Each structure stands twice: as structure tokens, then as C-alpha cells.
Amino acid sequence: MLVSVIIVNYNVKYFLGQCLASVQNALVEVEAEIIVVDNASADDSCTYLKTRFPFVKLIENKTNTGFAKACNAGAAIASGEFILFLNPDTLVDENAIKESIAFIKTKKNAGAVGVQMIDGSGKFLPESKRAFPSIISSFYKLTGLATLFSSSKKINKYGLGNLNKNEIHEVDALCGAFMLMYKNVFTVCNGFDENFFMYGEDIDLSYRIKQLGYSNYYLGNLSVIHFKGESIGKPNIKYTKIFYGAMKVFVEKHYAKTEAIKYATVVKWLINITAIAAFIKQWMNKKLLPLLDVAIVYTSLFIVKKTWIVYIKNGVEFDTHFITYAIPLYTIAFVLAAAIAGMYDNFYKPSKALLSSVSATVVLLAFYSLLPENIRFSRGVVLVGSIVATVLITLSRWVLLQFKIGNYQNFSLLKSVVVGGKDDAENIVVILKEFNRNEKIIANISATNYAKELKENITRLNITEIIFCTPKLSVHEIIFLIKQYNEDCCFSFYNTSTNTIINSYNKNETGISYSINGSFNLSMPYYKRLKRLVDVVASFILLLTFPLQLLFIKNGFNAIKNCWQIFIGYKTFVGYYSYNNHLPYIKPSVIQCSSTKKILDETILNQADKQYAKDYDYLTDIKLIFFNYKLLGK
């Protein structure tokens, strides 16, 4: 056996499926085995593997043992002369494995080799080649200076920014996402250090390989696509803490004690500062758009009121004391109604903003008509002010999208081209419609004549997304194309054998996988709003009639507490038996979706959770609340 490919999987079965398909193509005419160690995934990864990839040697862990321990378990049963540690969220160039093996055979002192990694948007990933961590390099990395001066030998020392990314170099550390070595070298090093649960284990192994007198090589002439972090989510403050916690373990293990203490102190302060900055940025990203709308609505109503007084009432003020509070109240009512109508769904377009604002105008007028006559001041001001606000809000969305301000992905504005066969394009349309993806697929380019046609279509039709179809197009060809067009387009990847689409438009955002079998109603904003609406209305009614709850519900006071937490958004009435990362997130619940059934089998309960998320309907929640009324105090 020449090579054993070891992949640790955790809740990314569709990324894993495409990874395995690419590895198969990269191992043609190579005596090899593929070992997948599943770290207790909750997305049916093991069933998926057994059905679609029966040739894979599968180790099913009962718990998430971490990357290092899982890799060691895979290596323990590996029979290849070489071991390749590979992440499940990668697509492997057909030449990468063979040429990596060929290279390592030419270097007597080679301990391990890695390759150039690019993310799903075609951008180079600097962790492909690294130096060992130090206080100063961590400072530059955490403060963002290393990114700002990415080619600096001093400031980006950790990322070896002075080394040409397309050439071959001897380096300190390689990335565990693609790390090839002789099995006997791995054995002599005693494998990965299992004190590293996640991150740092590859740097530690690289360090120990060098201590034994071997060299680590970065092969910049070979590439793989690494979507990065799909098992654990994208970089955030939690990621930063885990990563630098691992670096702290590395420094304590290999550096002098005084150096380790200094490192821990400096990094702790830097992480705290980074956490504050990240929190502010995250809060602004979430609240900026609603705050902008509040400002637009308030200003529109205020200006229309003043104009109305001057030109309609001839300078006579409105005769009501309520007018001081009216405009702020109407502003809040307008924005809340627009939000319920879908204004702030993740995937929006100006027409959605327009429809939501029109709905909010209708609601606001209805709200106005219900007010006592003595505090109403002018239906005309409310109507005209709402119309002005609607126009300005719609215009603001157009400006945001045209100038790409903010972090908003509008799929309906994508103009996509499929590089593959006609049958591939038809399958892709079916999958995307299942997930309410409405981008326009305006061209289908044959995989046998793509080079000239693709360039012409991108320019002529203003293409913004390319959907590549494998294996009709090789990963080698795809890598060449995404490096070429990464400034013009975003990319998705469809695989014929798995019938799935994967993408990751930005290395700082979690990628998305699409499959006909993977759609959930509770993933869609419309159903999320319906669920929240049921929670708010039901909890409000129960709080309003609280004496009855004390009378009829066991632990009535606890029921009232639950209702209050649901009303303010901390809990929900109905949830899962057991939440896992593969299901749409639901807040902690009072009752389970399987509460009306006396089920003891955990498999059936988990299946009920999936069915609830997949076929969610607001009537289901209403029925469950009604039939489990007496359990609301648990």
C-alpha cells in the first residue's frame, strides 16, 4: 500500500462527499486506502458514507475526541507507506497527491510536505506556510498588521510573507488540512499530541519533525481548495481564543518557562482587546440596518409633519399633546411591522424592502385608526410620511447593493453561469429552487470548450457567479479558473455523483451546502418569523391571564417565568429532543416537538426532530402548546 488518506469528519457530510469524490480522482492508478474518522457527527455522516462510499474504512467515534486523537486513531489502522492527513472541507487537485509523493521521495531529509491552499473564493490561505509562533508574530497577527503588510518578512514573519507562494520552500510549519509524510516518521514522532484538541497540533508535529533532523517542505506549485472551518464555524472571538489557547500550549511545551509566561500575558491582553472590537463590530453589523431604517422613518415623518403644518395648516400646530410621542411611536411600529414582513431576512433585495415597507404602511394606518380620536393628529401625515419612508428605504437598499456596503449577500442579483453539461444545469436549478435561491442561471458552458466561452460570457453578460461541475471539469482546471477570476466572480461547486452544491464565498463566513435531502423549513426566514410570532402571541396571552396558569398548571410560577423568557426571546415554546449542529438552531425550549408521543427510542426521537425542522408549520406549535398546556411549568 503506497498511501493512506486519513480524514477527520464532524458534521460536514456534503463537503466530505465532494472531498472524497476529488480524492478518488486524485488516486487513480495509485495503491491507496481512504480512512474516515467520524467524531460523533449528528448529520448522518456515517450512514451517508456507508451508502455512497462503501469502500471507505470508517471509524465511528461515540464522542468528539478532537482532531489530534482522531488522526492518531486513523493512523493506527493505516497500512500505507505514506500518510496524508486531509480535511473534509477540501477539493484535491488530481496531481496533488501523486506529485507530493514524488517530491518527498527525492528529498532524503523530507519529514512532511504541504501544498498551496486557496479558499472557496480563490484567495490564498496564508496558513499554507508558517513559522513557529512567537510573542511578536502573535502581536502582529492579532492586531491585523500581518494582514496589512502581508509580504513583509518582519511583520508577517508567522505567515512567511516574504516567500513566494507559488514556489517550493523549506518552512517551519505545515497545515494539517493537507499534510503528507512517511508513516515511519509519524510513528517516530509518536503521532499528534492529543493535548491539542483543536488547532496547534499540526504546528506541534511540524516542530517535533524538525527536532528529529527532518525538514518540512511547502510545495507552492501544487494546490488544493480548502473551504476552511466548516466543521467549527468561521473565525470569531471564540475561534481566536481556541487558536491562541493552542499556541499557548505549544509555547509552554517547547519554549523556556519565562518565554511562555510572557507569551501568555501578552496574548491574553490582545485577545481581550480583540474580543471588545469584535463584539462592537458584530453588534454594528446586526443593528446598523434597523437603526438606519429608524432614522429614515423618523426623519420622513418629522419632515412631513413640519411641511404639513406650513402648507396645509397654514402654520397652525396640531392640537394634541400626544404629538410629542406620536412620531417615535409610529416609527417603532413601522419598523417592527416591516421586520415581521421580512425586511431583515438575510437574503433580500430592494423589491423585498419595498413590499415590507408597503405592508408596514398598511399596518401603521390600521394601528392609527385604532387609537382614541383625541390623540390622533393627521392620517395624511402618517400616510405621506410612510410613503416617503418607503421610497427612501427602498433607495437605501439599492445603494447598499450597488456599492457593496455591508455584509449582505443578495442571491437574486447573482448572474450565474454553469460550466458543465445541460443535465448538470437542470439538476442545479432544482436544488437551488428547493432552497429558495433565486439567482439567474443565464448561461451553460460545455466543460469541453469552457476557456474562451467563459471569458466572453463574464464580460458580455456581467456574470457574478460561476458554478463548476465535477468531474466533467477537473479540480485542477477549476483551481486555475478561480485563481484567474476571483476578483470578478464568486464560485459554487456541483458534483454529479453526490448531487450536491457547496460554496464558501468568504473565508470569514460559514460555507453552505445544498442537497435535495437537506432542506429545512426552519432554515428559512419566513418560517422563523412565524415561529417567533407564535411564541410572542401565545406567551403574551398566557402572561395576561396569569391567574389561570397558577390555578391549572403544576409549578404555575415556573410557567409564568417560562412565558416571560419566551416573550423576551430567551426561550421558545417548542424545540428539539436533542439539538445538533446539522439542524437549524432553536433557542432552549419548554416542551419538545415529540412531547405528545411516549417514545423511548433515541433514534426515533432524533428523527422526529428532523421531521419537525423539515416540515415546520406554525399550526404544529399551536397544537403542541395546547395539548401540553399543563407541562408549561416544567
Side-chain angles (χ1 to χ4, degrees):
M1 186 73 67
L2 181 64
V3 61
S4 299
V5 180
I6 299 171
I7 302 171
V8 177
N9 176 64
Y10 183 65
N11 288 332
V12 287
K13 67 178 179 182
Y14 297 129
F15 281 91
L16 174 63
Q18 290 213 25
C19 172
L20 289 171
S22 73
V23 171
Q24 279 184 279
N25 292 329
L27 292 176
V28 172
E29 297 181 356
V30 176
E31 189 182 3
E33 63 181 352
I34 302 174
I35 300 167
V36 173
V37 185
D38 185 78
N39 262 340
S41 294
D43 64 349
D44 287 333
S45 285
C46 293
T47 303
Y48 179 78
L49 281 175
K50 291 171 185 175
T51 304
R52 290 188 175 268
F53 302 95
F55 58 86
V56 167
K57 292 183 179 181
L58 177 62
I59 297 175
E60 299 182 59
N61 287 334
K62 299 302 180 185
T63 59
N64 185 355
T65 61
F67 181 80
K69 194 169 185 177
C71 282
N72 288 343
I77 65 167
S79 55
E81 180 186 358
F82 295 95
I83 293 177
L84 170 63
F85 295 103
L86 185 70
N87 271 27
D89 52 350
T90 56
L91 296 178
V92 180
D93 184 313
E94 290 76 10
N95 302 320
I97 298 176
K98 294 174 186 175
E99 292 191 18
S100 293
I101 292 173
F103 176 86
I104 203 171
K105 284 182 175 180
T106 66
K107 298 287 184 179
K108 291 183 179 180
N109 69 328
V113 299
V115 299
Q116 179 182 155
M117 297 185 297
I118 57 175
D119 65 19
S121 65
K123 302 293 193 302
F124 173 70
L125 290 172
E127 58 266 32
S128 303
K129 52 180 175 65
R130 293 176 287 183
F132 295 126
S134 66
I135 292 176
I136 191 66
S137 65
S138 295
F139 171 79
Y140 287 140
K141 190 172 189 298
L142 265 171
T143 56
L145 289 171
T147 302
L148 190 62
F149 301 98
S150 58
S151 59
S152 169
K153 181 178 181 179
K154 181 180 179 181
I155 296 177
N156 191 23
K157 183 181 177 182
Y158 179 70
L160 301 175
N162 61 308
L163 300 183
N164 189 318
K165 65 183 179 182
N166 298 314
E167 296 177 356
I168 296 172
H169 303 284
E170 185 177 334
V171 298
D172 282 345
L174 300 171
C175 180
F178 186 106
M179 196 172 187
L180 178 85
M181 67 191 71
Y182 283 101
K183 185 182 178 183
N184 63 351
V185 171
F186 184 77
T187 303
V188 171
C189 288
N190 294 316
F192 285 109
D193 185 341
E194 295 178 7
N195 288 315
F196 295 88
F197 181 82
M198 183 169 60
Y199 302 125
E201 66 287 310
D202 48 4
I203 297 176
D204 173 74
L205 181 59
S206 297
Y207 189 89
R208 287 184 284 121
I209 287 172
K210 293 200 73 171
Q211 279 187 318
L212 290 173
Y214 295 103
S215 297
N216 297 316
Y217 286 93
Y218 163 76
L219 308 183
N221 59 322
L222 301 174
S223 298
V224 300
I225 300 171
H226 181 207
F227 294 98
K228 191 179 176 183
E230 297 309 323
S231 296
I232 50 93
K234 292 297 179 175
N236 51 29
I237 192 58
K238 182 180 178 182
Y239 159 88
T240 303
K241 285 182 176 179
I242 294 172
F243 179 80
Y244 282 99
M247 294 302 98
K248 179 174 174 287
V249 172
F250 173 84
V251 170
E252 289 174 345
K253 178 179 178 181
H254 295 293
Y255 295 178
K257 188 175 181 180
T258 53
E259 183 75 8
I261 293 171
K262 288 178 185 177
Y263 184 89
T265 304
V266 171
V267 167
K268 181 181 178 181
W269 278 102
L270 286 171
I271 287 176
N272 288 336
I273 293 168
T274 304
I276 294 169
F279 174 80
I280 293 170
K281 182 180 178 182
Q282 188 177 31
W283 187 89
M284 288 297 291
N285 281 339
K286 288 182 178 180
K287 306 299 182 185
L288 192 58
L289 204 58
L291 288 174
L292 174 64
D293 292 341
V294 166
I296 289 173
V297 176
Y298 183 90
T299 303
S300 300
L301 289 170
F302 182 82
I303 291 174
V304 169
K305 185 198 78 168
K306 289 294 185 182
T307 306
W308 199 274
I309 291 171
V310 173
Y311 292 102
I312 306 298
K313 292 178 66 65
N314 297 317
V316 179
E317 293 282 348
F318 289 103
D319 186 23
T320 172
H321 296 295
F322 181 68
I323 195 167
T324 307
Y325 312 102
I327 291 180
L329 181 62
Y330 293 160
T331 298
I332 293 169
F334 185 100
V335 174
L336 285 176
I340 292 171
M343 178 82 85
Y344 305 113
D345 292 352
N346 287 334
F347 309 140
Y348 71 90
K349 50 188 175 181
S351 61
K352 176 171 279 190
L354 175 62
L355 290 172
S356 300
S357 298
V358 169
S359 301
T361 300
V362 173
V363 171
L364 188 56
L365 288 170
F367 173 72
Y368 176 86
S369 66
L370 294 173
L371 292 173
E373 192 170 342
N374 65 321
I375 63 173
R376 289 188 233 165
F377 66 94
S378 173
R379 183 178 278 105
V381 170
V382 174
L383 177 59
V384 176
S386 297
I387 291 172
V388 172
T390 297
V391 172
L392 291 176
I393 286 172
T394 306
L395 183 62
S396 73
R397 299 306 189 268
W398 181 85
V399 171
L400 286 171
L401 292 169
Q402 290 300 314
F403 293 95
K404 298 180 180 179
I405 301 170
N407 192 26
Y408 310 110
Q409 180 66 57
N410 188 356
F411 291 122
S412 65
L413 294 184
L414 287 177
K415 292 181 180 179
S416 305
V417 60
V418 173
V419 183
K422 186 178 179 181
D423 52 339
D424 293 326
E426 290 172 353
N427 289 338
I428 288 166
V429 170
V430 171
I431 294 172
L432 293 179
K433 280 186 176 179
E434 180 78 9
F435 284 83
N436 202 28
R437 286 276 304 264
N438 300 314
E439 66 260 45
K440 299 173 184 175
I441 296 180
I442 58 178
N444 177 41
I445 297 173
S446 169
T448 57
N449 188 32
Y450 64 84
K452 184 179 178 182
E453 283 189 57
L454 189 57
K455 187 174 183 179
E456 289 176 354
N457 277 280
I458 288 174
T459 305
R460 183 170 59 87
L461 301 174
N462 194 26
I463 296 297
T464 54
E465 180 189 40
I466 304 172
I467 304 176
F468 297 109
C469 302
T470 57
K472 289 183 180 175
L473 206 64
S474 70
V475 176
H476 181 79
E477 292 170 308
I478 291 171
I479 288 172
F480 174 78
L481 290 171
I482 66 176
K483 286 181 179 180
Q484 185 177 354
Y485 294 114
N486 61 30
E487 298 297 332
D488 305 308
C489 303
C490 56
F491 311 105
S492 290
F493 307 83
Y494 170 75
N495 181 265
T496 306
S497 61
T498 62
N499 198 30
T500 57
I501 299 170
I502 58 175
N503 63 51
S504 180
Y505 295 142
N506 187 319
K507 69 178 182 180
N508 296 318
E509 295 174 10
T510 304
I512 305 172
S513 58
Y514 301 102
S515 169
I516 291 296
N517 299 319
S519 98
F520 297 103
N521 280 354
L522 273 179
S523 295
M524 301 177 187
Y526 171 75
Y527 290 100
K528 288 180 181 179
R529 288 198 306 276
L530 282 181
K531 182 170 178 60
R532 179 62 187 145
L533 196 59
V534 169
D535 281 347
V536 170
V537 172
S539 59
F540 180 75
I541 292 171
L542 290 168
L543 287 169
L544 208 61
T545 57
F546 75 91
L548 294 176
Q549 314 342 319
L550 296 175
L551 189 62
F552 293 110
I553 299 177
K554 188 178 180 181
N555 298 324
F557 284 106
N558 203 41
I560 292 169
K561 179 183 175 184
N562 284 337
C563 287
W564 173 248
Q565 290 181 322
I566 291 167
F567 184 75
I568 61 177
Y570 286 173
K571 286 186 177 182
T572 184
F573 275 111
V574 183
Y576 304 127
Y577 161 73
S578 176
Y579 172 70
N580 64 68
N581 289 339
H582 185 58
L583 295 174
Y585 175 72
I586 296 179
K587 289 173 182 173
S589 64
V590 177
I591 55 177
Q592 299 163 9
C593 58
S594 52
S595 290
T596 57
K597 305 169 187 176
K598 293 182 179 178
I599 303 170
L600 298 177
D601 191 312
E602 191 166 323
T603 303
I604 297 175
L605 288 168
N606 287 329
Q607 191 59 43
D609 289 344
K610 291 176 187 175
Q611 202 66 38
Y612 174 74
K614 185 177 179 65
D615 300 325
Y616 177 79
D617 182 80
Y618 72 96
L619 291 174
T620 303
D621 275 10
I622 293 172
K623 289 175 184 176
L624 286 167
I625 294 168
F626 179 79
F627 287 117
N628 292 278
Y629 169 70
K630 292 187 176 180
L631 300 177
L632 297 180
K634 70 175 187 177

